Amino acid sequence: MGSSEDLIGSPPETAKQFGVTKPISIAGPTEADLQRSLELERFLAESGLYESKEEACKREEVLGQIDQIVKAWVKQLTRQRGYTDQMAEDANAVIFTFGSYRLGVHGPGADIDTLCVGPSYVNREEDFFIILHGILADMEEVTELQPVPDAHVPVMKFKFRGISIDLLYASISLLVVPEDLDISHGSVLNNVDEQTVRSLNGCRVADQILRLVPHIEHFRTTLRCLKFWAKRRGVYSNVTGFLGGVNWALLVARVCQLYPNAVPSMLVSRFFRVYTQWRWPNPVMLCSIDEDELGFPVWDPRKHPRDRTHHMPIITPAYPCMNSSYNVSTSTLRVMMEQFQNGNKICEEIELNKAQWSALFEPYHFFEMYKNYLQVDIVAADAGDLLSWKGWVESRLRQLTLKIERDTYGMLQCHPYPNEYIDSSKQCSHCAFFMGLQRKQGVRIQEGQQFDIRGTVDEFRHSVSMYMFWKPGMEIYVSHVRRKQIPSYVFPVGYKRPRPSKPTSPPPNKASREDGGEECGAGSTEKRMKSQRDMEQRLKRKADVDEQNVKPDRPEKRASISPVREKSLSPSETSSSSRSDVCQQSMGKEIKVENLTVGNFSTCESVRTLDFAREGSSSEEVVLEASVAGSSEENMSHLESDNQDSRHGDICEANSEALFQKGSSNGSGRFQTGLPEELEPNVAIEMVLKARGGVNSETVQKPVISFSLQREEISRFRPFLSVG
């Protein structure tokens, strides 16, 4: 932080062009802009985004130690392979940094992206991932060592004295690597493979970015601000399909080029203004794409059909120029555009002195935004296995988003959330990820239309099970959960979920409508009342007919529901099955229920567990709700629309005459009432409870219900309790 004079600095020459186009504006800051920039930097400092001098010194020490380790490693390999003593003496490896540390925007606790450049005779597959891995594993300073050799850019992750390190390796075509190697020079790419090019490009891109921006300090402050904003709003994650550090750096650098004399407060505002209006998939480029004679492929949609499928191209400035944001999907682009628009609106208010900088960084309440979610639970035998297993599954979550978009023709939109959540009460090593689900906005829908994504989830689980380093106990569970079923451990301590407002009158019937609104369709009060009267009369007539056929001496039967553990989803039966069962039972997501008896009908097919969900409501507001049960395929089979109210007992789900047709079998022994499958047991049994005049406090407290039906109830509600 500094004074307003420091912020102004020495402006670049106005005649100089930065980037591939002329700047939009070369105007400098006003006094108000300078003041807002000082306030922004003060806010960032108070938010803890700058590391202390002690931590900065520790990072430098750690980098120095790693540099000595890789130098000794290369010398050892040189001697073992029979090279001369002089060759062993000259053998060398050099450590470079890239990413946020190289750009100067890292914060406390951030990892350090590092690259080790070694000679041609030291390879990645054996020497780096086996021999160096073994050296690091034997060191007390090293913890959480995790090799990822099959990544797009192979990496070794670990902590050294508590500092997170991501270490890459590149073997260049030199027998001796000079200490002053210029990694930006094109000669380092001679006679290397594409994995090595990708490893080298991190450093080359970082250096190019710093060369191509007009004012490095203004760029750094703006980038630090935008990265903080992206994390708060849940759009910072390359692996999930959003943008990572290099992507945000390139976007900010382009805005700096377009406004070369702007200060950070201006650049943040212009960032949102530019990218809310950007016409994707037009690419963001800091310089023209260079086609070198080395022959590596560069991003060019005219030549490469695959490049035409990219939704949000952000091109790296170093040869070979690539699209750094190929992970972005239509769904994640939609989410980011919504966030850009929200940020633009807030920045306009800040410029009018109607809001403070803190408003821009309000956290995104993901679990209040959707009615339907996918929950992906990841389980392993211990913390070490979970670390590698989670990394693999997380790297494949983007594929689940793409598969859902593909199989629903883009009609079901996914919002993967990059945060991971841990339930500390579980006895096993566990974490969970979530995805929000909703229908495509602005499209007319039909009542009752549902999405069957069982095959999609099966395909995803099969691809995940192909993990090369799979171990017993590594499992994954995919479940469909409602907003009110979201587990409490995802919320911060003290957080109170918003209570849905209790309607003063019965909600109207649902109808075909646009935009996937969350409210019920419009309808007059008179029509609703008439529909309810017709339904009651029809029920009464049916009850009178059926009651004559009920034998008075028939013994009563009870509806009992008993959960049974489902088989493990691991590739084979393992010795850790008992541990997995404990984990699975504690998650309560995929359980099997059998021996359901209602009235004179019984079934042993898998049905849903019925829970009473209170969610802080009074006893009058308690509704019956189905938890996610049965196999995950069954959960996906009838994924309810975001447009349907999540309160299952709501009359909005039940007042349509068409919903209450006579129950029948679908050939699998399941409930059939004409309702979506997730609502069938709920509405039917809730009708019984309402007829009794409510739910008593003892019943409400039971996690799984078990109650008997009276003879007259069996007769009256038989059409809605039938099973095959």
Side-chain angles (χ1 to χ4, degrees):
M1 291 176 58
S3 64
S4 59
E5 289 79 5
D6 296 330
L7 285 172
I8 297 175
S10 55
E13 298 177 14
T14 56
K16 183 178 180 181
Q17 176 177 312
F18 293 89
V20 294
T21 63
K22 293 181 179 180
I24 294 175
S25 172
I26 59 173
T30 64
E31 283 298 324
D33 292 324
L34 294 173
Q35 182 60 34
R36 279 192 288 268
S37 287
L38 291 174
E39 292 172 357
L40 175 60
E41 291 198 35
R42 189 179 303 116
F43 176 84
L44 297 178
E46 291 172 354
S47 300
L49 298 188
Y50 296 90
E51 69 177 357
S52 64
K53 291 183 178 180
E54 292 77 13
E55 185 174 358
C57 291
K58 183 178 179 181
R59 286 178 184 273
E60 293 179 4
E61 292 175 5
V62 166
L63 286 173
Q65 289 180 273
I66 294 175
D67 185 64
Q68 294 302 312
I69 292 170
V70 298
K71 283 177 172 20
W73 162 64
V74 169
K75 290 181 183 297
Q76 173 188 327
L77 290 174
T78 306
R79 294 189 187 94
Q80 291 176 350
R81 288 175 186 174
Y83 288 96
T84 64
D85 292 342
Q86 184 60 45
M87 188 74 170
E89 182 67 25
D90 294 338
N92 191 31
V94 182
I95 288 290
F96 294 89
T97 62
F98 61 101
S100 62
Y101 188 82
R102 175 69 183 94
L103 294 173
V105 295
H106 62 286
D111 59 1
I112 305 178
D113 295 310
T114 55
L115 168 69
C116 174
V117 177
S120 57
Y121 55 87
V122 177
N123 64 53
R124 180 189 300 107
E125 292 74 16
E126 180 180 350
D127 298 331
F128 181 73
F129 278 113
I130 296 179
I131 298 177
L132 181 60
H133 175 273
I135 293 172
L136 293 173
D138 291 338
M139 300 183 68
E140 293 183 359
E141 298 93 337
V142 175
T143 58
E144 300 181 20
L145 182 59
Q146 178 190 0
V148 191
D150 54 346
H152 186 63
V153 181
V155 61
M156 193 139 57
K157 298 172 177 284
F158 57 94
K159 286 187 176 180
F160 196 98
R161 293 173 53 191
I163 302 293
S164 296
I165 303 292
D166 285 357
L167 181 61
L168 314 183
Y169 179 72
S171 173
I172 62 175
S173 57
L174 294 175
L175 289 176
V176 178
V177 178
E179 192 68 25
D180 59 351
L181 176 68
D182 182 5
I183 202 171
S184 297
H185 198 278
S187 61
V188 299
L189 301 179
N190 288 328
N191 302 316
V192 298
D193 59 22
E194 288 196 26
Q195 279 190 323
T196 300
V197 171
R198 289 194 291 268
S199 299
L200 290 166
N201 250 17
C203 299
R204 290 162 52 81
V205 167
D207 289 345
Q208 276 291 88
I209 290 174
L210 295 177
R211 289 191 184 101
L212 292 170
V213 294
H215 196 296
I216 291 179
E217 286 306 316
H218 291 174
F219 162 76
R220 284 174 171 164
T221 301
T222 306
L223 178 55
R224 194 183 293 271
C225 170
L226 267 302
K227 287 180 63 176
F228 183 47
W229 171 84
K231 291 174 181 177
R232 297 285 283 180
R233 304 302 295 177
V235 290
Y236 188 96
S237 173
N238 182 278
V239 69
T240 313
F242 295 106
L243 301 181
V246 67
N247 309 125
W248 292 107
L250 292 169
L251 290 182
V252 170
R254 184 63 183 129
V255 173
C256 291
Q257 291 180 337
L258 294 173
Y259 299 91
N261 295 327
V263 293
S265 64
M266 299 170 65
L267 292 170
V268 171
S269 175
R270 281 17 172 220
F271 178 93
F272 292 114
R273 186 181 305 174
V274 167
Y275 292 117
T276 52
Q277 301 176 57
W278 197 272
R279 296 180 181 178
W280 305 105
N282 287 330
V284 172
M285 299 187 296
L286 300 186
C287 59
S288 59
I289 295 177
D290 180 25
E291 295 197 26
D292 197 274
E293 296 178 355
L294 293 176
F296 291 107
V298 298
W299 187 84
D300 189 346
R302 297 168 300 179
K303 295 182 179 179
H304 310 300
R306 187 174 183 180
D307 292 344
R308 299 172 200 160
T309 66
H310 296 166
H311 301 288
M312 193 181 189
I314 303 173
I315 311 304
T316 56
Y319 175 81
C321 299
M322 307 173 185
N323 176 22
S324 64
S325 53
Y326 59 88
N327 278 353
V328 174
S329 67
T330 54
S331 288
T332 53
L333 176 59
R334 170 187 59 84
V335 172
M336 285 187 284
M337 291 303 293
E338 290 174 356
Q339 293 303 322
F340 288 160
Q341 291 163 4
N342 180 69
N344 186 50
K345 180 180 178 181
I346 295 174
C347 283
E348 288 176 351
E349 294 177 350
I350 292 173
E351 290 182 337
L352 295 173
N353 296 320
K354 293 183 178 180
Q356 301 297 319
W357 284 113
S358 57
L360 183 64
F361 302 96
E362 285 293 324
Y364 181 69
H365 299 296
F366 174 71
F367 294 106
E368 297 175 14
M369 296 296 121
Y370 300 93
K371 290 186 176 180
N372 293 287
Y373 296 84
L374 281 186
Q375 178 175 341
V376 180
D377 287 285
I378 303 168
V379 178
D382 54 48
D385 287 352
L386 180 65
L387 189 65
S388 57
W389 179 230
K390 178 194 71 176
W392 168 258
V393 175
E394 186 179 9
S395 71
R396 295 297 180 270
L397 285 178
R398 184 180 70 92
Q399 294 299 322
L400 179 57
T401 301
L402 296 175
K403 292 176 192 298
I404 291 175
E405 289 178 353
R406 176 201 66 193
D407 294 347
T408 62
Y409 303 100
M411 298 302 293
L412 182 61
Q413 296 178 330
C414 301
H415 179 175
Y417 202 56
N419 293 10
E420 66 174 88
Y421 298 90
I422 300 173
D423 186 359
S424 57
S425 66
K426 297 193 186 306
Q427 300 179 14
C428 56
S429 297
H430 157 269
C431 71
F433 291 92
F434 292 83
M435 290 184 181
L437 301 174
Q438 70 175 10
R439 289 182 181 272
K440 184 177 181 179
Q441 303 297 289
V443 177
R444 184 175 294 276
I445 63 171
Q446 295 297 322
E447 177 64 33
Q449 181 182 1
Q450 297 171 334
F451 296 103
D452 185 347
I453 57 174
R454 288 175 296 178
T456 308
V457 172
D458 279 342
E459 183 181 344
F460 167 72
R461 282 164 41 186
H462 176 73
S463 67
V464 168
S465 69
M466 304 302 289
Y467 182 43
M468 184 186 304
F469 302 100
W470 184 88
K471 294 181 180 179
M474 292 180 175
E475 299 178 358
I476 179 174
Y477 305 88
V478 180
S479 307
H480 166 220
V481 295
R482 308 286 186 135
R483 181 194 300 164
K484 64 198 313 181
Q485 295 169 326
I486 296 294
S488 59
Y489 63 78
V490 309
F491 299 103
V493 177
Y495 176 83
K496 292 186 177 180
R497 302 192 190 191
R499 290 178 56 181
S501 57
K502 187 177 179 181
T504 55
S505 61
N509 289 340
K510 292 185 178 181
S512 296
R513 58 197 182 273
E514 295 184 359
D515 299 335
E518 295 187 359
E519 298 180 358
C520 299
S524 66
T525 304
E526 182 179 351
K527 288 183 179 179
R528 291 199 303 271
M529 297 301 294
K530 184 178 185 302
S531 176
Q532 293 176 38
R533 288 195 299 270
D534 291 344
M535 181 183 69
E536 291 172 358
Q537 291 174 3
R538 187 163 55 84
L539 287 174
K540 186 176 185 304
R541 288 196 300 270
K542 182 66 179 176
D544 292 341
V545 173
D546 288 346
E547 192 170 13
Q548 300 174 6
N549 300 325
V550 178
K551 296 180 180 180
D553 58 345
R554 183 178 292 277
E556 298 179 0
K557 293 191 177 183
R558 299 178 60 83
S560 61
I561 302 178
S562 56
V564 179
R565 295 173 188 159
E566 189 180 345
K567 289 184 178 180
S568 171
L569 294 177
S570 57
S572 60
E573 294 296 331
T574 69
S575 59
S576 64
S577 59
S578 60
R579 185 186 189 95
S580 301
D581 288 343
V582 172
C583 297
Q584 186 175 351
Q585 187 181 34
S586 66
M587 278 187 290
K589 294 298 175 194
E590 299 180 355
I591 54 179
K592 205 145 195 173
V593 183
E594 60 182 29
N595 298 329
L596 175 68
T597 305
V598 183
N600 300 327
F601 307 94
S602 65
T603 179
C604 292
E605 289 292 322
S606 174
V607 298
R608 284 169 172 72
T609 307
L610 302 179
D611 296 321
F612 284 105
R614 301 199 58 152
E615 289 201 3
S617 54
S618 63
S619 59
E620 296 82 32
E621 296 173 320
V622 172
V623 296
L624 208 59
E625 180 169 270
S627 68
V628 177
S631 68
S632 62
E633 291 88 347
E634 291 163 350
N635 296 329
M636 304 307 147
S637 175
H638 292 280
L639 179 62
E640 186 184 352
S641 163
D642 213 55
N643 306 306
Q644 291 178 295
D645 198 297
S646 60
R647 292 171 295 160
H648 300 171
D650 197 302
I651 194 170
C652 182
E653 301 290 356
N655 66 358
S656 174
E657 183 173 339
L659 293 179
F660 288 93
Q661 52 189 294
K662 178 177 174 62
S664 61
S665 171
N666 63 0
S668 62
R670 301 188 65 84
F671 281 103
Q672 284 287 303
T673 66
L675 292 167
E677 203 167 53
E678 291 171 341
L679 302 180
E680 290 162 358
N682 302 350
V683 174
I685 298 177
E686 188 183 8
M687 290 170 60
V688 179
L689 297 177
K690 284 185 175 180
R692 294 182 180 180
V695 185
N696 60 46
S697 59
E698 293 181 0
T699 308
V700 169
Q701 294 174 357
K702 296 181 180 180
V704 178
I705 65 171
S706 176
F707 64 91
S708 59
L709 298 175
Q710 303 300 323
R711 288 192 182 91
E712 61 270 21
E713 291 174 335
I714 296 172
S715 173
R716 181 177 180 184
F717 297 104
R718 176 179 292 169
F720 314 107
L721 300 177
S722 297
V723 295

